[in-house]
Amino acid sequence: METGSPRGVETEDGAGDGPGWTGLPPGLLRMRRLLLVVWLVPAALGTGLALGLCVGPAWAAFALLPLAALAWGWVLIGRNWRSWRYAERADDLLISRGVLWREETVVPYGRMQLVEVTSGPVERHFGLASVQLHTAAAATDAAIPGLHPAEAERLRDRLTELGEARSAGL
């Protein structure tokens, strides 16, 4: 769900009785859309020039295919970005994502073994970081992409603290 602030909280049904969902910051949307443009605009130009010079000007119309993919990808990236959200509950962390196939991951704090904050060069340029959660079962490993670094570190510290507290009784 799109929110006005990086840590804007929304509820599942808007009535306040669901979990407190937090959406991803808009910086992730800008980064992904910029990468789409960086890859597909040169592809359109290259296709148009190569076909126009080698085969004929009419064939240069095939350059419209990468531009159509750009327009379609622009919309899909926005829908995907709006679908990502997470909620910190008393005993577990919920991560929800997906447009056509909705996927909701529940990670109990006591099952977390490692919480990592990663940030590649492009993410760092946009001021973003990702939180990667590792559990004993590989199928429940989860990630939250595109957070502000301060929020990613806060979430890592909180999840680590809750994980240690919940696993102490095992």
Side-chain angles (χ1 to χ4, degrees), residues 1-169:
M1 301 267 163
E2 188 172 346
T3 59
S5 67
R7 282 209 17 97
V9 174
E10 294 184 3
T11 58
E12 190 171 60
D13 58 1
D17 54 355
W21 292 105
T22 303
L24 299 181
L28 179 66
L29 178 63
R30 281 192 300 273
M31 179 188 78
R32 288 181 174 173
R33 284 182 169 168
L34 179 65
L35 290 173
L36 182 72
V37 169
V38 163
W39 282 100
L40 289 180
V41 168
L45 291 173
T47 302
L49 284 173
L51 290 176
L53 294 173
C54 295
V55 182
W59 287 89
F62 277 102
L64 295 176
L65 292 176
L67 295 178
L70 174 73
W72 187 48
W74 190 273
V75 172
L76 291 180
I77 286 173
R79 289 183 66 195
N80 179 271
W81 172 78
R82 283 188 296 278
S83 75
W84 275 88
R85 57 191 184 161
Y86 65 97
E88 300 172 56
R89 298 194 308 181
D91 295 321
D92 50 33
L93 177 73
L94 295 177
I95 301 171
S96 179
R97 65 198 166 280
V99 177
L100 293 177
W101 286 273
R102 199 94 178 114
E103 186 175 333
E104 206 164 276
T105 305
V106 180
V107 184
Y109 296 134
R111 301 291 179 150
M112 290 184 201
Q113 293 182 331
L114 176 66
V115 182
E116 290 180 304
V117 174
T118 60
S119 185
V122 176
E123 285 179 311
R124 279 193 309 272
H125 178 75
F126 282 89
L128 301 172
S130 297
V131 174
Q132 178 73 40
L133 308 164
H134 298 279
T135 63
T140 58
D141 285 359
I144 303 172
L147 297 174
H148 293 289
E151 170 63 7
E153 291 172 11
R154 183 206 67 81
L155 190 59
R156 177 200 60 209
D157 294 343
R158 177 165 164 69
L159 294 176
T160 301
E161 177 184 313
L162 289 168
E164 289 172 356
R166 297 293 192 280
S167 67

